[in-house]
Amino acid sequence: MALTSATALIDVMLDTELVPAGSVTGWVEANQRFSDWLDGERRDAQQKRKSIDAFLLNDIQLDLAVETHAAQLTPEAVAEWVTKHARHDLAAAPALGLLREMLHERHLNKGTTWRTNDLTDMTYLSCAAGYADFVVCERAMGDALRQGIKRLQRPVRVFRYLSDAAEAIEEALAATAPGQQEA
């Protein structure tokens, strides 16, 4: 786990390819339209979750295209993955699975209002929770993250206050220290 974390940090810091900063306005508007549409649909939660998965796959289609090309997958193999394995594989991915769950939580919450910082918050929090044991964040996103963690049965603990997280980290470290036993 530590090696994965260190490797990811090093890879990000040493990445020479510039990722241009873009406007998230289109993302916010698209999610707001989708949430508003979903609010008016007469579907059960599972049907709505499938719609949200389709929306997510559409949102990441360029990334999927780049990666499927790099992996030299045929269009038939990609189509089979999308229809048979995508939902399971997305849920199993450490960060993307939590991002997916946060999207589900937000879109299923009737009357959700999307804001420009939501993309950043959801991306970074799902990455943090995908690879860390403790995460600190504000209440609203924390609630969505906790629901995703619960649904995916991940062992991550989410805190609203840094002081609470620091205390939990100290307790965890004390419990795992060699030769240390709590009374």
Side-chain angles (χ1 to χ4, degrees):
M1 197 79 120
L3 181 60
T4 300
S5 176
T7 304
L9 288 171
I10 291 167
D11 189 40
V12 168
M13 288 187 283
L14 298 178
D15 192 355
T16 57
E17 290 184 39
L18 176 65
V19 177
S23 171
V24 296
T25 305
W27 183 88
V28 172
E29 291 171 354
N31 275 274
Q32 190 63 61
R33 278 192 308 273
F34 183 71
S35 280
D36 293 344
W37 171 80
L38 205 55
D39 286 352
E41 287 296 300
R42 292 185 174 207
R43 300 176 181 196
D44 65 28
Q46 287 306 316
Q47 292 169 322
K48 287 184 177 186
R49 287 176 69 84
K50 287 179 183 178
S51 295
I52 297 164
D53 283 345
F55 185 80
L56 172 61
L57 287 170
N58 183 62
D59 191 33
I60 63 173
Q61 68 181 324
L62 181 59
D63 298 310
L64 285 174
V66 168
E67 295 305 320
T68 56
H69 176 72
Q72 300 178 346
L73 296 175
T74 64
E76 295 79 20
V78 175
E80 181 180 343
W81 176 79
V82 168
T83 57
K84 294 182 181 177
H85 308 287
R87 291 183 72 212
H88 175 268
D89 291 350
L90 288 174
L96 192 56
L98 287 169
L99 177 64
R100 173 181 172 254
E101 289 300 327
M102 290 178 79
L103 282 168
H104 284 177
E105 185 67 22
R106 296 291 314 280
H107 282 298
L108 290 173
N109 186 6
K110 211 169 192 141
T112 291
T113 300
W114 291 86
R115 301 190 190 327
T116 55
N117 64 315
D118 289 344
L119 174 60
T120 302
D121 290 351
M122 292 171 63
T123 300
Y124 283 104
L125 289 172
S126 62
C127 285
Y131 298 100
D133 296 324
F134 305 92
V135 176
V136 179
C137 60
E138 52 88 24
R139 185 189 52 79
M141 282 298 172
D143 290 345
L145 183 59
R146 277 185 201 89
Q147 283 300 110
I149 289 167
K150 182 179 177 182
R151 182 178 272 282
L152 296 176
Q153 299 176 347
R154 305 270 176 91
V156 183
R157 294 175 60 191
V158 178
F159 298 90
R160 187 164 178 204
Y161 301 104
L162 188 56
S163 58
D164 294 340
E167 189 176 302
I169 292 168
E170 286 176 0
E171 290 172 6
L173 288 172
T176 60
Q180 298 285 330
Q181 300 245 343
E182 291 187 348

